[in-house]
Amino acid sequence: PYCQMAKGLLTKKGVSFKEIDVGGNPSLRAAMTQRAAGRTSVPQIFIGGQHVGGCDDIHALDAGGKLDAMLA
């Protein structure tokens, strides 16, 4: 559900995104965990190469009026 909510927000914003499914691939999951500073939950969201966190984090950025500037 968190992945769907995050994708829904990004779709509503009209931005394209690349989804990387780490399920069933331990080495890919390990690489993404390292990239996300040890966070293991999914989704982990990166904008312009910058890690912004998970679903709650991206919704908080949107609620705070900061997400649109990051997506521009």
Side-chain angles (χ1 to χ4, degrees):
Y2 290 107
C3 293
Q4 293 299 324
M5 289 189 297
K7 290 190 290 186
L9 176 59
L10 294 172
T11 299
K12 184 178 103 176
K13 295 283 182 182
V15 296
S16 61
F17 54 89
K18 178 181 178 182
E19 180 178 0
I20 301 171
D21 185 353
V22 298
N25 188 331
S27 62
L28 183 56
R29 187 171 190 96
M32 292 302 291
T33 299
Q34 183 177 9
R35 235 181 119 198
R39 291 180 72 177
T40 58
S41 62
V42 291
Q44 289 301 313
I45 301 161
F46 299 82
I47 298 174
Q50 177 184 349
H51 180 242
V52 296
C55 181
D56 292 340
D57 300 307
I58 198 169
H59 277 88
L61 286 169
D62 189 42
K66 298 178 182 176
L67 182 59
D68 289 339
M70 294 181 79
L71 296 173

